[in-house]
Amino acid sequence: MAYKILIAEDDVGLNEGIHLALKQNDIVFLPAYSIQEAKELLDKEHPDMVLLDIQFPDGSGFDLLRELRRTSQIPVLVITANDMELDEVKGLTLGADDYITKPFSLMALRARVENIRKRTTNAGAGIYEQDGYRFDFEKMDFRLDGQEITLSITEQKLLKLLVTNPGQTLTREMLVERIWTDGTEYVDESALSVTVSRLRKKLERKGEVSPVRTAYGVGYVWMPERDA
């Protein structure tokens, strides 16, 4: 099955240039030159990745990213013309997997896209393995440095959301909605705090910070100390 990449970029020349730079036999490219076109392609084609510019005549890429993250964890690479740390932070906080700033080399873009694709494809297989952590979500086998860890179903759901979005801050509201799918209106946010606390203790190495970090006032992020 072909891998679909939505290129949401209103500059026609750049949109086509990205297409040519990333062209591979197993990739289908979906060009969008406006926010409206991007929304229509997201609904109709269900792409596997989005390359998202920030500035459009009919809206903001940040607003589209915010809307997308309410229902989907599709990988998103933000393209911004503003070389400003605030824009980078905003994109990552809203749920982008990575960002690149114009002007950029197409080689650099290709490397970032391939990195996201490999990471998310492996995560889709149900196995996370890095820095001594090995989580097989299909077999429900969880290990730290070879030692088995026993996790509750709720802890497993939380862990999977975190490790399939490494370095990405997931809001408390989104986590509650995704973990307690049978009725979040009855769930107190303290339940999430308790679940996070228990998971942290089970995943900590002696003398190291837990890979489940707190983004104060926002939510949580998976960031092993060796990757920090």
Side-chain angles (χ1 to χ4, degrees):
M1 183 179 295
Y3 189 91
K4 298 179 182 180
I5 297 181
L6 170 62
I7 306 175
E9 164 62 61
D10 65 325
D11 184 315
V12 176
L14 180 56
N15 198 312
E16 293 177 351
I18 291 172
H19 178 177
L20 292 174
L22 300 177
K23 188 174 181 180
Q24 293 182 29
N25 292 334
D26 63 337
I27 297 180
V28 172
F29 293 93
L30 309 168
Y33 304 100
S34 67
I35 292 293
Q36 184 58 39
E37 286 182 344
K39 289 181 178 180
E40 291 172 358
L41 286 170
L42 282 165
D43 291 338
K44 181 180 179 181
E45 298 292 341
H46 305 290
D48 299 289
M49 185 188 301
V50 179
L51 307 186
L52 179 62
D53 192 18
I54 295 306
Q55 298 177 341
F56 290 87
D58 64 336
S60 164
F62 284 139
D63 290 338
L64 178 59
L65 176 57
R66 184 183 293 108
E67 181 180 333
L68 184 61
R69 279 293 175 258
R70 294 189 184 118
T71 58
S72 172
Q73 290 303 315
I74 180 176
V76 176
L77 186 151
V78 166
I79 301 172
T80 174
N82 301 318
D83 188 12
M84 296 175 58
E85 186 177 358
L86 285 177
D87 283 338
E88 298 166 3
V89 171
K90 184 174 182 179
L92 295 174
T93 301
L94 288 175
D97 294 81
D98 202 351
Y99 66 88
I100 194 165
T101 303
K102 299 177 185 177
F104 53 82
S105 74
L106 294 176
M107 184 179 296
L109 176 65
R110 185 164 57 243
R112 289 175 182 268
V113 168
E114 281 301 309
N115 183 51
I116 293 174
R117 185 182 179 188
K118 288 177 182 177
R119 188 174 69 229
T120 55
T121 299
N122 290 338
I127 297 176
Y128 173 91
E129 190 166 8
Q130 188 173 350
D131 298 328
Y133 294 102
R134 189 180 193 282
F135 308 138
D136 187 329
F137 291 94
E138 292 184 0
K139 295 181 179 179
M140 293 191 291
D141 182 69
F142 307 95
R143 296 180 183 273
L144 170 56
D145 297 331
Q147 298 298 311
E148 186 174 1
I149 305 169
T150 301
L151 300 179
S152 70
I153 296 298
T154 302
E155 290 164 353
Q156 291 177 37
K157 289 181 178 180
L158 171 61
L159 179 62
K160 188 170 186 178
L161 287 168
L162 290 168
V163 301
T164 53
N165 298 280
Q168 177 179 315
T169 300
L170 304 183
T171 67
R172 292 180 62 86
E173 293 80 6
M174 187 275 275
L175 289 171
V176 169
E177 290 176 0
R178 295 290 296 277
I179 295 171
W180 287 275
T181 55
D182 55 346
T184 57
E185 65 270 26
Y186 302 111
V187 177
D188 191 300
E189 279 200 16
S190 62
L192 176 61
S193 299
V194 171
T195 302
V196 169
S197 178
R198 290 175 177 170
L199 182 62
R200 276 179 170 153
K201 290 179 181 178
K202 294 179 180 181
L203 299 180
E204 282 179 352
R205 288 188 178 93
K206 187 175 181 180
E208 292 189 8
V209 177
S210 169
V212 182
R213 309 290 183 89
T214 298
Y216 292 100
V218 182
Y220 302 96
V221 57
W222 176 262
M223 188 181 295
E225 188 172 64
R226 298 171 191 182
D227 292 344

